[in-house]
Amino acid sequence: MNDPGERVETLIVESGGDRLDAYVADHLDLSRTRVQGLVEEGLILLDGRPARKSERLERGQEIEVRVPAPAPLEVEPEDILLDVLFEDTSLLVVDKPAGMVVHPAPGHSTGTLVNALLAHASDLSGIGGKLRPGIVHRLDKNTSVLLVVAKTDAAHQALSRALQRREIKRLYQACSWGHLPRSPLEVEAPIGRDPTNRRRMAVVESGRYAMSHFRVVERWLGAELLEVALETGRTHQIRVHLAHVGHPVVGDALYGAGWERGIGGRAHRWAQMFNKRVSRQFLHAWRLSFRHPVSGEMLRFEAPLPEDLSSWVEWARSET
């Protein structure tokens, strides 16, 4: 009998030759390390027998995978400094730094924005559940970003509807390698899971509609500072679209690793030096605007570039 919450998946191998651990990881969106652990626990069967992680698969074989329910996480308030730009009885607006995970998950049970919020305000909306109280939208850990947090269920529902109607507007600043072919530049290209790497997103025909608008703010020797507006909110949208047009985000290890080495001419040395200075992806959500869910007042907030990003901009300017 399965444990409550246990996930059971059955896969029929469509083509042979892959290692079992790689095949299961790719098809079930699990890490290979996680799959290997399931194999060692006897939770993966191949044609009814315990599987071996390194064995090669043959077409038509059946794989049964049992993924135990995750251990419950207890979310504790933590006294973590928050940069709160606005707060009333309905919501908060927070400037989240890069590197801070938004909500607890396996491997990130402490130090998250939710841990900090629970210490700051005990009356957050419960719609997001115990792990995501007040959280209206998903956000990238490695992006510094302005975000709105709901304190009541009514505010949460209203903000979620506004998000779906694209009435919550956000402007980003990004730095991309090379020079865009023109400015402004619109990129309309569907985004979905990368079929060759489940950790990444990609422009794929079967993906969801996505539209991004890019405008050059400053042009440097081997890179540009951009202002970015999104019409849609797909996962990693800015990073995927810029990589798709051949100008990935500076410091983006997932979509632009090593790209600076391809810059030629006198910009080559500049790009190498700039890349050594940049320690994270150069992406910052600096402006947020939306209507207050209760008063209907239009609210607008701005956050300057964080100190690390602004120091890299100063270097880029001085060396161009």
Side-chain angles (χ1 to χ4, degrees):
M1 183 175 178
N2 296 334
D3 293 333
E6 182 181 66
R7 170 184 167 198
V8 180
E9 302 279 359
T10 301
L11 302 172
I12 304 298
V13 179
E14 297 175 353
S15 59
D18 290 332
R19 279 176 52 124
L20 179 134
D21 55 357
Y23 187 89
V24 173
D26 181 59
H27 284 74
L28 297 185
D29 200 17
L30 299 170
S31 70
R32 188 178 291 195
T33 300
R34 176 65 169 140
V35 172
Q36 291 172 351
L38 295 176
V39 169
E40 293 172 359
E41 295 176 46
L43 298 178
I44 298 183
L45 303 180
L46 180 62
D47 289 336
R49 61 171 174 79
R52 300 186 304 277
K53 62 186 179 184
S54 61
E55 62 183 303
R56 297 288 173 176
L57 299 172
E58 299 178 4
R59 186 174 182 273
Q61 287 185 298
E62 181 179 284
I63 307 170
E64 180 183 294
V65 182
R66 291 170 51 207
V67 183
L73 291 173
E74 293 295 329
V75 186
E76 297 292 337
E78 295 182 50
D79 188 14
I80 300 171
L81 181 65
L82 281 177
D83 188 1
V84 178
L85 279 66
F86 175 86
E87 181 175 6
D88 65 8
T89 58
S90 298
L91 58 88
L92 303 97
V93 174
V94 179
D95 187 4
K96 182 194 83 69
M100 175 180 274
V101 176
V102 174
H103 59 84
H108 296 285
S109 59
T110 62
T112 74
L113 178 65
V114 165
N115 294 107
L117 287 168
L118 289 174
H120 178 86
S122 60
D123 54 345
L124 298 175
S125 161
I127 289 178
K130 291 183 178 180
L131 301 186
R132 294 171 56 92
I135 302 302
V136 178
H137 34 208
R138 298 175 61 183
L139 295 161
D140 194 339
K141 165 191 172 183
N142 293 317
T143 300
S144 47
V145 60
L146 286 173
L147 61 95
V148 57
V149 177
K151 295 178 71 174
T152 69
D153 289 355
H156 198 139
Q157 291 168 338
L159 290 168
S160 294
R161 289 193 297 269
L163 187 67
Q164 292 171 357
R165 294 193 296 261
R166 302 173 188 168
E167 294 170 354
I168 297 180
K169 304 294 184 181
R170 185 181 283 119
L171 281 180
Y172 293 81
Q173 289 173 302
C175 178
S176 63
W177 287 117
H179 301 121
L180 297 184
R182 60 187 177 277
S183 175
L185 174 69
E186 290 186 352
V187 178
E188 181 181 353
I191 292 176
R193 187 70 61 180
D194 188 331
T196 63
N197 183 344
R198 302 293 294 176
R199 293 179 56 240
R200 293 164 46 109
M201 307 301 287
V203 170
V204 292
E205 287 188 10
S206 60
R208 301 176 67 189
Y209 172 80
M211 169 74 85
S212 304
H213 301 269
F214 301 98
R215 181 178 67 85
V216 176
V217 177
E218 293 187 31
R219 183 184 175 100
W220 304 322
L221 194 57
E224 291 175 328
L225 182 65
L226 309 176
E227 184 176 83
V228 187
L230 303 181
E231 289 192 20
T232 52
R234 308 304 176 215
T235 301
H236 298 175
Q237 180 171 325
I238 295 173
R239 300 161 64 193
V240 171
H241 273 176
L242 283 173
H244 176 65
V245 299
H247 299 280
V249 172
V250 171
D252 189 341
L254 187 58
Y255 297 101
W259 200 91
E260 76 287 348
R261 293 194 291 268
I263 296 178
R266 70 188 187 95
H268 178 76
R269 177 62 177 163
W270 185 97
Q272 297 282 345
M273 295 173 65
F274 189 42
N275 186 63
K276 288 180 180 179
R277 283 166 169 75
V278 177
S279 57
R280 64 151 169 122
Q281 65 190 32
F282 198 120
L283 188 57
H284 171 62
W286 73 281
R287 178 182 288 175
L288 175 69
S289 61
F290 60 93
R291 290 199 176 278
H292 193 284
V294 176
S295 70
E297 178 187 0
M298 178 59 72
L299 302 178
R300 293 181 178 86
F301 304 94
E302 294 183 2
L305 280 172
E307 185 176 349
D308 56 351
L309 300 189
S310 62
S311 68
W312 303 335
V313 168
E314 289 303 317
W315 182 91
R317 289 170 178 161
S318 67
E319 297 296 326
T320 295

